[in-house]
Amino acid sequence: MKDNVKVGLLGLGTVGTGVVKMIQDHQEQLAHRVGCSVDVTKVLVKNVDKKRDVELPKEALTLDPYEVINDPNVDVIVEVMGGIDETKKLLLAALHQKKHVVTANKDLVALYGSELLKAASENGCDFYYEASVAGGIPIIRGLADGLASDKIKTMMGIVNGTTNFILTKMNKEGMSYDVALKEAQDLGFAEADPTSDVEGLDAARKMAILARLAFSMDIELEDVEVSGISKVSDSDLKHGQTLGYTMKLIGYADQQNGGAEVSVQPTFLSNNHPLAAVNDEYNAVYVYGEAVGETMFYGPGAGGLPTATSIVSDLVAVITNMRLGVNGKSISAPQFEKQLKTSEEKFAKYFIRLHVRDEVGAFSELTKLFSSNGISFEKILQLPLDEEGVAEIVIVTHKASAENYTQMQNQIKDLAVVRSIESFYRVEGEGA
Ligand SMILES: NC(=O)C1=CN([C@@H]2O[C@H](COP(=O)(O)OP(=O)(O)OC[C@H]3O[C@@H](n4cnc5c(N)ncnc54)[C@H](OP(=O)(O)O)[C@@H]3O)[C@@H](O)[C@H]2O)C=CC1
Ligand SMILES: N[C@@H](CC=O)C(=O)O
Ligand code: NA
């Protein structure tokens, strides 16, 4: 075994800088854990003259990715540059040169994780990606190791820090959506283009990665139903509060009788659910296992040092595997054929906010429509509006199948008493 492991770093931004800091500051602890010293020797950047927050010899920086990947002395590639197609090419090239890979890149892992893991296994290499989901929370390790003996039935995750920050600020401080988004960007939580945060794509990528692992099925990004928070209004939040709910962007993954469903959507959570208390940029993943019951993993989902913690822990795993001669041996293909639930097999409660004509019989028309679709009401609010002759109605249903719910959604807009449909949301975290 070598007495020094050399790391090639692709990217030296928020996360890359955290990785260098941790490796430099935790040298003694790392050496104790892995039995050798660890050094970052080559670093890919876009601009070698940029001022950096860490000290590295100038000759370590390069603009040429192949100078890092082809360096015969580099043992492990840590990818923290982002990007999809070009980055995939680089990582495949690294694996073919028998270099282990650690990445934080959820965009890449969600789309090409299976292919990269296969290439790693074929080359006797490790491919670790703990930082790609929920930054500093050891959720990948929690599922792959800690809960490896159990059958995971349900996961609900707050896996995007930016949207959780925005919803918390809107809910608790009455801040506007735009101001809260700007603050999340200034604090460095948001992606370069925050559309992927607010429209749910970032969370969908993370849920695809988690569901694939938890259900041992080749769940793909396109299997995840996605909607974001950009249309959530103050009125929705206010009515939710009245009914005892907190709005969160929830990634939902469930498996029953071998069929899986995965979605990301703004969801009203009962205030009694532990996820309702996860605020600001924090992330949490609630995992229900058949044997273990309820568990929850909580922590910082973004930021330089929290994310670097996961990366350097992956590095420790790679070097430990090097010592044991077992790199790539723990990678296995999914156990089950992919099977997705049909819309008759998906069940949820729903929150519906409508503006209706305030006239005799309006309510009975609504009741008729819901009951003809097999959906019953659990909670109802009726409130006067400033506009004369119009009332606002908020309905929370009992659990209904997605099939019945979609049918009702398609029909409700045609009811003569309905003036407008203001919003529809899923409701989670309370009984049937
Ligand atoms: N920030 C966070 O909290 C989290 C980020 N991630 C993921 O980690 C990865 C990195 O994120 P983050 O550190 O925030 O990103 P940054 O934008 O802060 O850093 C990116 C780094 O990569 C370098 N880089 C990017 N593209 C190229 C290129 N084509 N050629 C050479 N160098 C390049 C940049 O160089 P230069 O410095 O010269 O501009 C920069 O150092 C992303 O995949 C992200 O999704 C995952 C979890 C949390
Ligand atoms: N933009 C992401 C960063 C980490 O993955 C987020 O807000 O969670
Ligand atoms: Na993680």
Short mmCIF file of all heavy atoms in Angstrom, two decimals, residues 14-23 80 104 131 135-136 302-315:
data_model
loop_
_atom_site.label_atom_id
_atom_site.label_comp_id
_atom_site.label_asym_id
_atom_site.label_seq_id
_atom_site.Cartn_x
_atom_site.Cartn_y
_atom_site.Cartn_z
N THR A 14 -16.99 26.67 -4.62
CA THR A 14 -17.49 26.56 -3.25
C THR A 14 -17.12 25.21 -2.64
O THR A 14 -16.54 25.14 -1.54
CB THR A 14 -19.04 26.70 -3.26
OG1 THR A 14 -19.37 27.90 -3.95
CG2 THR A 14 -19.61 26.74 -1.86
N VAL A 15 -17.44 24.13 -3.34
CA VAL A 15 -17.23 22.79 -2.76
C VAL A 15 -15.75 22.39 -2.85
O VAL A 15 -15.18 21.88 -1.87
CB VAL A 15 -18.12 21.75 -3.47
CG1 VAL A 15 -17.92 20.37 -2.85
CG2 VAL A 15 -19.60 22.15 -3.35
N GLY A 16 -15.13 22.64 -4.02
CA GLY A 16 -13.72 22.27 -4.18
C GLY A 16 -12.84 22.93 -3.14
O GLY A 16 -11.92 22.30 -2.57
N THR A 17 -13.11 24.19 -2.85
CA THR A 17 -12.33 24.91 -1.83
C THR A 17 -12.52 24.24 -0.47
O THR A 17 -11.56 24.04 0.29
CB THR A 17 -12.79 26.39 -1.77
OG1 THR A 17 -12.60 26.95 -3.07
CG2 THR A 17 -12.01 27.18 -0.75
N GLY A 18 -13.77 23.82 -0.18
CA GLY A 18 -14.04 23.11 1.08
C GLY A 18 -13.27 21.81 1.15
O GLY A 18 -12.73 21.44 2.20
N VAL A 19 -13.17 21.10 0.03
CA VAL A 19 -12.45 19.82 0.00
C VAL A 19 -10.96 20.04 0.30
O VAL A 19 -10.37 19.34 1.14
CB VAL A 19 -12.62 19.13 -1.38
CG1 VAL A 19 -11.70 17.92 -1.52
CG2 VAL A 19 -14.08 18.71 -1.58
N VAL A 20 -10.38 21.06 -0.34
CA VAL A 20 -8.95 21.31 -0.10
C VAL A 20 -8.74 21.70 1.36
O VAL A 20 -7.82 21.20 2.03
CB VAL A 20 -8.42 22.42 -1.05
CG1 VAL A 20 -6.98 22.78 -0.70
CG2 VAL A 20 -8.51 21.97 -2.50
N LYS A 21 -9.61 22.57 1.89
CA LYS A 21 -9.48 22.98 3.30
C LYS A 21 -9.53 21.77 4.22
O LYS A 21 -8.72 21.63 5.13
CB LYS A 21 -10.65 23.91 3.66
CG LYS A 21 -10.36 25.36 3.45
CD LYS A 21 -11.43 26.22 4.10
CE LYS A 21 -11.22 27.64 3.59
NZ LYS A 21 -12.41 28.41 3.44
N MET A 22 -10.51 20.90 3.99
CA MET A 22 -10.66 19.75 4.89
C MET A 22 -9.46 18.83 4.81
O MET A 22 -8.97 18.35 5.83
CB MET A 22 -11.93 18.98 4.56
CG MET A 22 -13.14 19.65 5.15
SD MET A 22 -14.52 18.53 5.22
CE MET A 22 -14.01 17.41 6.50
N ILE A 23 -8.98 18.57 3.59
CA ILE A 23 -7.83 17.65 3.46
C ILE A 23 -6.60 18.28 4.13
O ILE A 23 -5.86 17.60 4.85
CB ILE A 23 -7.57 17.31 1.97
CG1 ILE A 23 -8.72 16.44 1.46
CG2 ILE A 23 -6.23 16.60 1.80
CD1 ILE A 23 -8.65 16.07 -0.01
N VAL A 80 -15.87 18.21 -8.76
CA VAL A 80 -16.73 19.24 -8.17
C VAL A 80 -16.76 20.46 -9.10
O VAL A 80 -16.64 21.60 -8.66
CB VAL A 80 -16.26 19.63 -6.74
CG1 VAL A 80 -16.68 18.58 -5.74
CG2 VAL A 80 -14.76 19.84 -6.67
N ALA A 104 -19.84 15.16 -6.59
CA ALA A 104 -20.96 15.84 -5.92
C ALA A 104 -22.05 16.17 -6.93
O ALA A 104 -22.99 16.88 -6.61
CB ALA A 104 -20.46 17.14 -5.29
N ALA A 131 -22.07 13.23 -1.76
CA ALA A 131 -22.35 14.68 -1.75
C ALA A 131 -23.43 15.08 -2.74
O ALA A 131 -23.94 16.20 -2.70
CB ALA A 131 -21.07 15.45 -2.04
N GLY A 135 -26.23 17.36 0.38
CA GLY A 135 -24.89 17.82 0.76
C GLY A 135 -24.19 17.05 1.87
O GLY A 135 -23.62 16.00 1.64
N GLY A 136 -24.27 17.56 3.10
CA GLY A 136 -23.51 16.99 4.21
C GLY A 136 -24.20 15.85 4.93
O GLY A 136 -23.63 15.28 5.87
N ALA A 302 -26.44 21.92 1.73
CA ALA A 302 -25.60 22.66 0.78
C ALA A 302 -24.51 23.38 1.55
O ALA A 302 -24.48 23.36 2.78
CB ALA A 302 -26.47 23.64 -0.01
N GLY A 303 -23.62 24.03 0.79
CA GLY A 303 -22.55 24.81 1.43
C GLY A 303 -21.22 24.09 1.28
O GLY A 303 -21.17 22.87 1.17
N GLY A 304 -20.12 24.87 1.26
CA GLY A 304 -18.79 24.34 0.96
C GLY A 304 -18.34 23.24 1.92
O GLY A 304 -18.09 22.10 1.51
N LEU A 305 -18.24 23.56 3.22
CA LEU A 305 -17.68 22.58 4.15
C LEU A 305 -18.62 21.39 4.41
O LEU A 305 -18.16 20.25 4.43
CB LEU A 305 -17.26 23.25 5.46
CG LEU A 305 -15.94 24.03 5.37
CD1 LEU A 305 -15.64 24.79 6.65
CD2 LEU A 305 -14.77 23.12 5.02
N PRO A 306 -19.95 21.62 4.59
CA PRO A 306 -20.82 20.45 4.76
C PRO A 306 -20.72 19.48 3.58
O PRO A 306 -20.61 18.26 3.76
CB PRO A 306 -22.23 21.06 4.86
CG PRO A 306 -22.00 22.43 5.38
CD PRO A 306 -20.70 22.88 4.78
N THR A 307 -20.73 20.02 2.36
CA THR A 307 -20.67 19.14 1.19
C THR A 307 -19.30 18.46 1.10
O THR A 307 -19.20 17.27 0.78
CB THR A 307 -20.98 19.95 -0.09
OG1 THR A 307 -22.20 20.66 0.12
CG2 THR A 307 -21.14 19.06 -1.30
N ALA A 308 -18.25 19.23 1.46
CA ALA A 308 -16.89 18.66 1.44
C ALA A 308 -16.77 17.52 2.45
O ALA A 308 -16.01 16.57 2.23
CB ALA A 308 -15.87 19.75 1.73
N THR A 309 -17.51 17.59 3.55
CA THR A 309 -17.46 16.51 4.55
C THR A 309 -17.83 15.18 3.90
O THR A 309 -17.16 14.16 4.10
CB THR A 309 -18.45 16.79 5.71
OG1 THR A 309 -18.21 18.10 6.18
CG2 THR A 309 -18.32 15.79 6.83
N SER A 310 -18.91 15.20 3.10
CA SER A 310 -19.32 13.96 2.42
C SER A 310 -18.26 13.50 1.43
O SER A 310 -17.98 12.31 1.31
CB SER A 310 -20.64 14.20 1.67
OG SER A 310 -21.69 14.31 2.59
N ILE A 311 -17.67 14.47 0.72
CA ILE A 311 -16.67 14.09 -0.29
C ILE A 311 -15.44 13.47 0.36
O ILE A 311 -14.94 12.44 -0.08
CB ILE A 311 -16.29 15.34 -1.13
CG1 ILE A 311 -17.49 15.69 -2.00
CG2 ILE A 311 -15.05 15.07 -1.97
CD1 ILE A 311 -17.33 16.94 -2.79
N VAL A 312 -14.98 14.10 1.44
CA VAL A 312 -13.75 13.58 2.06
C VAL A 312 -14.05 12.23 2.75
O VAL A 312 -13.21 11.34 2.77
CB VAL A 312 -13.11 14.63 3.00
CG1 VAL A 312 -11.85 14.07 3.64
CG2 VAL A 312 -12.77 15.89 2.21
N SER A 313 -15.29 12.05 3.24
CA SER A 313 -15.66 10.73 3.80
C SER A 313 -15.66 9.68 2.69
O SER A 313 -15.25 8.53 2.90
CB SER A 313 -17.02 10.78 4.48
OG SER A 313 -16.95 11.64 5.59
N ASP A 314 -16.14 10.05 1.50
CA ASP A 314 -16.07 9.12 0.36
C ASP A 314 -14.61 8.78 0.03
O ASP A 314 -14.28 7.64 -0.29
CB ASP A 314 -16.72 9.74 -0.89
CG ASP A 314 -18.25 9.62 -0.88
OD1 ASP A 314 -18.80 8.93 0.00
OD2 ASP A 314 -18.90 10.24 -1.75
N LEU A 315 -13.77 9.79 0.14
CA LEU A 315 -12.34 9.59 -0.12
C LEU A 315 -11.75 8.60 0.88
O LEU A 315 -10.96 7.71 0.52
CB LEU A 315 -11.65 10.96 -0.01
CG LEU A 315 -10.28 11.15 -0.60
CD1 LEU A 315 -10.24 10.74 -2.05
CD2 LEU A 315 -9.90 12.64 -0.45
#
